[in-house]
Amino acid sequence: VLGYADIDDDLLDELEETLIMADVGVKTTEKLMQAVRQGIKQKKINSPDDLKPFLEQTIRDMLVSGTDEVRLAAQGPTVMLVIGVNGVGKTTTIGKLSAYYRGQGKKVMLAAADTFRAAAIDQLEIWGQRTGAEVIRHEEGSDPAAVAYDAVLAAKARGVDILFVDTAGRLQTKSNLMEELKKINRVIQREIPEAPHETLLVLDATTGQNAISQADLFSQAAPISGVVLTKLDGTAKGGVVIGIKAELSMPVKWIGVGEAVDDLRPFVAADFAKALFE
Amino acid sequence: GLADRLQATFKKLRGHGRLTEDDVNEAMREVRMALLEADVNFKVVKDFVKRVQERAIGQDILATLTPAQVVIKIVNEELTALMGGSQSRLNISSVPPTVIMMVGLQGAGKTTTAGKLGLALKKQGKHPLLVAADIYRPAAVKQLQVIGGQLDIPVYAMKPGTDAVTIAKTAVPYATAHAADVVIIDTAGRLHINEELMQELKSIKAEVKPQEILLVVDAMTGQDAVNVAESFNGDLGLDGVVLTKLDGDARGGAALSVKAVTGCPIKFVGMGEKLEALEPFYPDRMASRILG
Ligand SMILES: Nc1nc2c(ncn2[C@@H]2O[C@H](COP(=O)(O)OP(=O)(O)OP(=O)(O)O)[C@@H](O)[C@H]2O)c(=O)[nH]1
Ligand SMILES: Nc1nc2c(ncn2[C@@H]2O[C@H](COP(=O)(O)OP(=O)(O)OP(=O)(O)O)[C@@H](O)[C@H]2O)c(=O)[nH]1
Ligand SMILES: [Mg+2]
Ligand SMILES: [Mg+2]
């Protein structure tokens, strides 16, 4: 294959290195490099200058297949369940999303279903105050599913448009915590059959290949409708989402680019693909 | 894991009395892949594999070990040596109080680890003071106060609007006045590329002259671990690293990356959300975990 189009091994090695360093992972990188070699063979790539654009396009296409729109309820409250491992940015993301939908004139409610971690409820309450969203909470240490249940009832009764359910961070390998998550999901579903309308898995862009295990195991506890990729304002590229989309069909819907209330953007595959090579 | 893959690799090669360069090249491909899948940084993997390669070529295949086992043994030894020189001990000041600074990216586990360290030191007979110097995150001060309350460890905080440097520097004489001999400063999570916030850390360091600056790193961190560690080390000079959330299934290659680029010892690991879940770092255990 080499010798076509003046593209030498060094150039291809450089590309491979860029992908690995972006946390794309060995398996997905091999897939992408295979596509590049095919592209060279098929004369879709004819000079070294064609390499990056080709790869960007390939990655872009991998990330936009299927319908990735945010799903809203036809009537009654839309319920969005926010899940993920510890410290990735779930609570902060809910604050940002609350502001986003409040900005559209929607009535937003937040459920403080992290009843475990120190000051988790306080933290969410501050976001509720900042964004004009009512917060449903119980005592620290109470049953998270009970909080979720109460919140769904309250959301229905008060004509809420969007209800966000904040959950405690949990490592995907902790089966008792995964069971707790299943219960929260069930309780919500029992009250509103189509709910949660969105279940967002929050992934930290600094995370390496463990993100695959997170996506895999969390989706077994609650079907995931989308990913929020946070902390993209750092130097990490979040390349793991390519494999997650390819293998698990999970689209990225939002990206977090900072700690302030407006540091949230809809995911744009083209921008993301471009940033991988910067 | 790697052992099985190497067995498979060597099955294809004829038995020799020694490992030839070709044998080793094949094996190094497997080692390289295993380390990358474990999130060890690309450049760190390159250097590491080179070292192993040099040691492996010409190695005698003893009757007691298969070629795969020889390579695994070398890889394990090199990994353990690289991450070792384990000092799971903190630098305690001869003149109290000892000052410890917790630093790192957002969400790594600094606040929780500050509590864990406080508990561990209290069990050793010390009198810690936790200092709430995260003035940005909503309810960060409250979080540390709740933790302090659970551990019966005092928490030093100042009224909202006070800057972090003032909080840190007034905490030290406060500790002395209240017979606290260890001051643990919890700082806000920040990006290593945020100059203003990195300057805040430098200012705190200049004021309190800590015996320990601990970089708290999430075990699931990928390739970026190198950038973070290099930056924090370059700006502050690190005394140690704490690797958190090792109770999950992250392979933890970040441990090797961080050690390789900073030379800084990994002193402790976080093994859970409970405040008792702090353990010393064992390089040999980490090595086998990384290799899968
Ligand atoms: N730089 C940056 N920081 C972020 C972003 N999103 C969240 N954070 C920070 O990450 C830290 C953790 O955020 P939280 O919202 O508490 O994360 P969480 O997932 O709710 O954490 P747990 O509930 O403890 O599992 C906080 O310091 C946030 O300010 C982001 O997009 N960029
Ligand atoms: N499973 C597990 N969770 C941990 C560990 N250490 C911390 N956590 C959790 O990780 C999340 C973040 O911990 P924090 O202590 O708030 O992290 P932080 O670095 O202070 O966060 P910021 O101040 O926002 O930068 C919380 O949910 C903690 O309970 C650990 O060793 N294992
Ligand atoms: Mg939270
Ligand atoms: Mg903190």
Side-chain angles (χ1 to χ4, degrees):
Chain A
V1 176
L2 281 331
Y4 280 92
D6 306 321
I7 292 162
D8 63 2
D9 258 335
D10 284 348
L11 264 177
L12 293 181
D13 283 351
E14 240 174 76
L15 272 183
E16 189 181 38
E17 176 171 339
T18 302
L19 293 173
I20 296 282
M21 303 266 282
D23 287 315
V24 172
V26 170
K27 184 166 167 207
T28 305
T29 298
E30 288 191 349
K31 258 198 195 161
L32 289 170
M33 294 312 292
Q34 192 48 17
V36 167
R37 283 186 211 101
Q38 275 294 82
I40 294 173
K41 258 201 179 129
Q42 296 167 0
K43 307 258 191 261
K44 291 187 186 151
I45 297 170
N46 295 304
S47 88
D49 295 339
D50 295 337
L51 278 172
K52 256 196 213 171
F54 179 89
L55 252 181
E56 281 182 32
Q57 178 72 48
T58 308
I59 290 169
R60 194 161 79 225
D61 293 344
M62 282 172 85
L63 290 169
V64 291
S65 59
T67 164
D68 302 340
E69 301 280 313
V70 170
R71 196 171 141 241
L72 297 174
Q75 57 182 8
T78 295
V79 183
M80 301 199 187
L81 179 63
V82 180
I83 64 182
V85 300
N86 307 69
V88 294
K90 299 176 291 302
T91 306
T92 307
T93 297
I94 288 174
K96 295 172 182 176
L97 283 170
S98 177
Y100 176 84
Y101 286 107
R102 291 285 299 130
Q104 294 179 351
K106 301 249 192 287
K107 182 164 180 167
V108 177
M109 179 180 270
L110 312 180
D114 177 356
T115 56
F116 170 74
R117 206 209 68 214
I121 298 171
D122 300 76
Q123 184 186 6
L124 190 71
E125 282 187 317
I126 292 172
W127 282 109
Q129 288 159 22
R130 283 180 182 176
T131 59
E134 184 178 355
V135 180
I136 301 295
R137 54 157 300 169
H138 287 188
E139 291 284 300
E140 288 224 358
S142 56
D143 178 8
V147 179
Y149 177 76
D150 269 5
V152 173
L153 292 188
K156 280 191 196 171
R158 294 173 218 187
V160 161
D161 297 310
I162 319 244
L163 168 67
F164 290 99
V165 181
D166 189 16
T167 61
R170 66 201 69 219
L171 297 184
Q172 69 276 22
T173 45
K174 311 232 157 155
S175 48
N176 60 325
L177 296 180
M178 288 291 119
E179 285 306 311
E180 179 185 88
L181 187 55
K182 285 183 195 165
K183 183 178 175 202
I184 294 172
N185 197 29
R186 267 200 313 277
V187 158
I188 294 172
Q189 221 166 35
R190 215 176 302 147
E191 267 318 297
I192 301 177
E194 311 81 51
H197 304 83
E198 285 280 339
T199 297
L200 297 172
L201 176 67
V202 181
L203 293 178
D204 186 328
T206 64
T207 304
Q209 298 312 301
N210 194 254
I212 315 273
S213 164
Q214 291 173 27
D216 187 20
L217 293 177
F218 267 93
S219 63
Q220 291 175 28
I224 293 168
S225 61
V227 167
V228 179
L229 185 62
T230 61
K231 308 181 196 173
L232 271 178
D233 46 319
T235 49
K237 304 283 183 170
V240 282
V241 299
I242 303 171
I244 287 174
K245 174 77 192 201
E247 312 277 322
L248 300 167
S249 310
M250 257 180 232
V252 180
K253 298 204 172 183
W254 303 97
I255 60 173
V257 292
E259 302 188 70
V261 71
D262 50 6
D263 286 331
L264 185 78
R265 315 222 173 108
F267 178 70
V268 178
D271 296 348
F272 179 82
K274 189 153 177 295
L276 286 178
F277 296 96
E278 285 169 358
Chain B
L2 180 63
D4 306 321
R5 284 152 75 163
L6 285 178
Q7 299 284 6
T9 303
F10 281 111
K11 253 200 162 92
K12 302 187 257 146
L13 307 170
R14 302 287 156 69
H16 305 271
R18 332 196 96 201
L19 285 175
T20 67
E21 189 158 350
D22 282 345
D23 300 341
V24 172
N25 283 340
E26 266 302 298
M28 289 308 103
R29 262 182 37 83
E30 290 298 334
V31 173
R32 185 173 159 275
M33 276 221 283
L35 292 177
L36 288 176
E37 286 167 359
D39 290 325
V40 181
N41 182 269
F42 186 90
K43 300 203 165 94
V44 173
V45 170
K46 242 184 177 173
D47 294 340
F48 180 80
V49 166
K50 230 198 242 136
R51 294 158 73 124
V52 171
Q53 189 154 1
E54 290 165 4
R55 266 196 66 185
I57 294 173
Q59 276 279 320
D60 291 322
I61 316 272
L62 306 171
T64 47
L65 293 175
T66 66
Q69 285 170 333
V70 170
V71 173
I72 284 276
K73 184 164 175 294
I74 294 173
V75 173
N76 236 308
E77 284 174 2
E78 285 295 319
L79 267 184
T80 305
L82 237 178
M83 290 191 296
S86 133
Q87 299 162 38
S88 288
R89 282 181 294 117
L90 298 168
N91 302 320
I92 301 294
S93 175
S94 48
V95 179
T98 292
V99 179
I100 303 171
M101 254 174 94
M102 316 294 299
V103 304
L105 294 182
Q106 292 88 346
K110 298 174 291 302
T111 306
T112 308
T113 306
K116 290 178 180 180
L117 277 176
L119 178 61
L121 289 162
K122 190 173 173 182
K123 285 184 180 164
Q124 293 172 19
K126 297 251 175 280
H127 298 92
L129 174 73
L130 289 165
V131 178
D134 178 353
I135 56 172
Y136 310 102
R137 170 174 155 152
V141 174
K142 177 100 197 274
Q143 184 186 5
L144 195 63
Q145 287 170 331
V146 170
I147 288 172
Q150 289 170 355
L151 301 175
D152 191 24
I153 291 178
V155 176
Y156 181 83
M158 295 181 80
K159 67 179 189 342
T162 317
D163 68 284
V165 181
T166 301
I167 297 169
K169 82 175 192 199
T170 56
V172 181
Y174 178 91
T176 311
H178 292 80
D181 53 10
V182 186
V183 174
I184 304 169
I185 304 173
D186 181 27
T187 68
R190 68 205 63 215
L191 297 177
H192 50 297
I193 52 173
N194 184 322
E195 295 202 8
E196 196 179 332
L197 287 182
M198 291 309 290
Q199 182 54 49
E200 179 186 271
L201 289 181
K202 290 180 195 171
S203 304
I204 293 176
K205 176 186 179 183
E207 291 290 345
V208 308
K209 302 184 183 47
Q211 279 70 36
E212 281 285 338
I213 299 182
L214 295 175
L215 179 67
V216 180
V217 177
D218 193 322
M220 60 188 185
T221 309
Q223 298 289 308
D224 200 45
V226 153
N227 302 328
V228 178
E230 265 179 340
S231 254
F232 273 87
N233 194 33
D235 281 354
L236 301 171
L238 300 172
D239 298 288
V241 172
V242 181
L243 202 63
T244 61
K245 308 178 203 172
L246 236 76
D247 44 316
D249 65 350
R251 296 268 289 277
L256 179 61
S257 304
V258 169
K259 183 79 200 323
V261 301
T262 65
C264 213
I266 300 172
K267 299 201 171 183
F268 304 101
V269 298
M271 287 296 292
E273 291 195 74
K274 301 228 165 78
L275 297 167
E276 293 74 17
L278 188 74
E279 296 179 11
F281 174 74
Y282 297 108
D284 53 344
R285 287 188 203 174
M286 196 70 219
S288 27
R289 178 184 182 125
I290 288 175
L291 292 180

